[in-house]
Amino acid sequence: LRGGSDHGLRHASAAAAAGAVAILAELPMPDAAAVDVDVPSFLLQPLVENALKHGLAPGHPDQTIAISVTRASDMLELVVEDNGKGLDGLITTSGRFLAVRPRSVDGLGIGLTNTRSRVTMLYGDRYTFLMSNQAAGGCRVEIRLPVS
């Protein structure tokens, strides 16, 4: 992955090392077809930060943040998921999340709003940004970007 998108990984490692949370970061080797794809810098960092700040709770055992990057044909899929408390809000049928206490006009917090705005500016309507609660608990954020 080019473009510095490993800042999210560094953020998770730094928080765990500082004792902010006890987490297991699952970081499998990226799909070989995804390694040389350009992605916007700091794309994963706000997603990981949200998982740390809103999803996981200090002191709870067996907390996990999993980050995966795969390429399927002409799309790159970036996923950040945790096994924390999940989303506090409404998920629409289109996969759009509306927070109970939004801090921005689009129903998301500032970090997710900025991330979505940047992706929209770069890719127009050719991307997917989905958030969902997982059946076993936690949140999954999935971004699919076109590969040129």
Side-chain angles (χ1 to χ4, degrees):
L1 290 166
R2 292 182 284 174
S5 49
D6 65 340
H7 292 290
L9 310 180
R10 290 186 200 142
H11 188 75
S13 298
V21 291
I23 61 168
L24 169 65
E26 295 179 359
L27 309 171
M29 286 298 294
D31 180 349
V35 172
D36 289 329
V37 176
D38 285 321
V39 295
S41 59
F42 293 102
L43 185 64
L44 294 176
Q45 187 272 335
L47 306 179
V48 172
E49 184 174 330
N50 271 7
L52 288 166
K53 184 175 180 182
H54 303 294
L56 304 181
H60 288 265
D62 302 324
Q63 297 183 106
T64 304
I65 295 175
I67 301 168
S68 65
V69 180
T70 55
R71 181 175 177 171
S73 183
D74 61 346
M75 297 297 283
L76 183 71
E77 180 181 81
L78 302 109
V79 175
V80 175
E81 52 192 346
D82 65 67
N83 63 349
K85 61 184 179 181
L87 299 169
D88 184 18
L90 170 72
I91 301 173
T92 67
T93 55
S94 66
R96 189 167 170 84
F97 173 66
L98 303 173
V100 171
R101 292 174 299 283
R103 289 193 238 157
S104 67
V105 294
D106 71 353
L108 300 173
I110 294 167
L112 291 175
T113 297
N114 289 344
T115 300
R116 186 183 295 238
S117 295
R118 286 179 58 227
V119 173
T120 301
M121 191 169 59
L122 293 168
Y123 299 99
D125 63 355
R126 300 176 301 134
Y127 76 94
T128 303
F129 188 110
L130 299 173
M131 297 177 70
S132 60
N133 279 323
Q134 301 192 83
C139 176
R140 175 184 170 97
V141 180
E142 179 181 319
I143 299 176
R144 292 185 192 149
L145 304 175
V147 177
S148 301

